[in-house]
């Protein structure tokens, strides 16, 4: 299992560490780590529940960003290489 899998932290400038984009990057990093963990330990249901909570939080943030600024949303989805909730 890879401990420190990073999702391109250079995408976000230092001034925007609490922005929606940085939160989505952080959550994506956690989702990837938990997915790798669940590949090894398929019956770890507490980690599975935590994964679903993190996925839901990321989805809500992406919907918020889509409603507020579609250009930033499209840039983030393109940079992170995953399909968004819409």
């Amino acid at each position: 299992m890879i401990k420190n899998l990073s999702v391109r932290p250079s995408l976000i400038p230092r001034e925007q560490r609490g922005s929606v984009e940085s939160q989505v990057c952080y959550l994506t990093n956690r989702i990837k780590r938990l997915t790798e963990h669940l590949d090894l330990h398929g019956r770890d249901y507490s980690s599975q529940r935590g994964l679903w909570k993190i996925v839901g939080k990321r989805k809500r943030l992406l919907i918020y960003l889509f409603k507020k600024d579609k250009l930033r949303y499209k840039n983030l989805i393109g940079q992170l290489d995953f399909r968004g909730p819409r």
Side-chain angles (χ1 to χ4, degrees), residues 45-61:
Y45 298 116
S46 60
S47 292
Q48 190 175 23
R49 181 175 185 267
L51 175 65
W52 283 112
K53 289 179 74 146
I54 294 169
V55 168
K57 188 175 207 176
R58 182 179 72 176
K59 181 179 177 182
R60 287 190 303 272
L61 283 170

Side-chain angles (χ1 to χ4, degrees), residues 8-50:
R8 295 184 213 108
S10 61
L11 295 175
I12 297 130
R14 280 183 112 36
E15 302 86 36
Q16 297 180 347
R17 294 295 171 170
S19 66
V20 176
E21 291 92 345
S22 65
Q23 291 178 45
V24 170
C25 286
Y26 173 72
L27 292 174
T28 302
N29 185 16
R30 288 183 61 194
I31 288 169
K32 287 183 179 181
R33 283 192 331 220
L34 275 173
T35 303
E36 289 178 357
H37 170 77
L38 288 172
D39 285 342
L40 295 175
H41 310 284
R43 297 177 70 182
D44 187 358
Y45 298 116
S46 60
S47 292
Q48 190 175 23
R49 181 175 185 267

